[in-house]
Amino acid sequence: MTIEQTENETVRDSARKRLRDRRDLWTHWFVYAVINGFLVVVWLLTGQGYFWPGWVLAGWGLAIVFHLWDYYWKWHRPITEAVVDAEVRRRA
């Protein structure tokens, strides 16, 4: 295998991971909307007292924020050879 083929495979692997991460993020959003929508409907049908679904919405919403942060931040800051070298030096 040539260096060019190896680099091409690395780029393809990176793209594949990016697509998988994007799909996982959208799945997380969808599950959040469905489950929390169901909880709000249950709240509506059971008397509409204290808005207890707010705790789930807020907690899970925070997890979504972290997921978004992880998805966008790590892709805007690529791991370069200089970063890898610095990490190796730090661990040595």
Side-chain angles (χ1 to χ4, degrees):
M1 189 177 278
T2 66
I3 293 175
E4 185 176 311
Q5 289 171 326
T6 303
E7 289 174 357
N8 188 31
E9 283 301 312
T10 302
V11 169
R12 292 187 61 76
D13 289 342
S14 177
R16 192 173 288 114
K17 179 164 180 12
R18 174 84 167 154
L19 291 169
R20 187 173 27 255
D21 288 348
R22 185 181 309 147
R23 183 193 60 210
D24 292 347
L25 179 61
W26 281 105
T27 300
H28 194 178
W29 271 106
F30 178 76
V31 172
Y32 173 83
V34 169
I35 298 298
N36 285 294
F38 172 76
L39 293 176
V40 170
V41 168
V42 168
W43 172 78
L44 285 169
L45 296 175
T46 59
Q48 301 175 11
Y50 176 75
F51 187 67
W52 54 267
W55 290 102
V56 180
L57 286 161
W60 199 342
L62 186 59
I64 293 271
V65 168
F66 286 136
H67 196 162
L68 284 166
W69 181 79
D70 181 54
Y71 177 76
Y72 285 107
W73 185 74
K74 78 177 177 185
W75 291 106
H76 288 299
R77 301 195 65 159
I79 298 172
T80 63
E81 287 302 315
V83 173
V84 172
D85 291 342
E87 180 66 14
V88 169
R89 283 191 305 275
R90 189 180 71 79
R91 292 186 173 264

